Amino acid sequence: MVDHANEPESCHVPGTDRKSHHSETTKKNLVTRLNRIEGQIRGVKGLIDKDTYCDDVLTQIAAVQSALNSVSKILLEGHMKSCLVERIQDGDLEVIDEVLVTVKRLMK
């Protein structure tokens, strides 16, 4: 029996809303990272409540931004390796413009 748990499902189902296609392993990884980021945000709020030196708070904010960027990279890679390829193979070249807009947004 072949284990398909880590294989992405189709990300383009005609007639339905767009959905993510991540394996359970990827979802678990993303949720773990986001939970950690959530804790970091609470920590930053605590630093502000304690009147912590601004530079120290900014350092923690930079760490949160870096962690969010890591989540974005994982999502973008998965999107490009599955949805983007699939839609191009289906002749949907508009997806290239879509991903360019997304990349520009991420690079702000």
Side-chain angles (χ1 to χ4, degrees):
M1 180 150 99
V2 178
D3 180 12
H4 296 284
N6 291 325
E7 292 180 16
E9 297 176 18
S10 174
C11 47
H12 182 264
V13 181
T16 64
D17 292 333
R18 297 186 305 182
K19 300 280 184 181
S20 67
H21 54 279
H22 309 293
S23 69
E24 289 303 315
T25 302
T26 300
K27 281 188 206 180
K28 185 175 180 180
N29 179 17
L30 291 169
V31 168
T32 298
R33 288 171 180 268
L34 290 169
N35 286 338
R36 193 174 305 129
I37 292 166
E38 188 176 26
Q40 287 177 295
I41 295 290
R42 283 192 303 273
V44 169
K45 286 170 54 177
L47 293 175
I48 291 171
D49 284 341
K50 296 175 189 171
D51 295 321
T52 302
Y53 184 62
C54 295
D55 190 59
D56 295 337
V57 176
L58 290 168
T59 298
Q60 292 306 309
I61 290 172
V64 170
Q65 288 172 328
S66 178
L68 280 171
N69 286 340
S70 292
V71 170
S72 294
K73 288 174 191 174
I74 292 168
L75 288 167
L76 182 60
E77 180 180 351
H79 181 59
M80 292 179 78
K81 287 182 174 180
S82 58
C83 292
L84 189 68
V85 170
E86 182 180 312
R87 288 177 61 186
I88 289 171
Q89 288 173 342
D90 288 345
D92 181 2
L93 299 182
E94 289 179 17
V95 71
I96 295 170
D97 291 331
E98 178 185 289
V99 79
L100 287 173
V101 169
T102 299
V103 169
K104 286 177 187 176
R105 194 177 320 122
L106 288 171
M107 294 178 73
K108 281 187 175 182

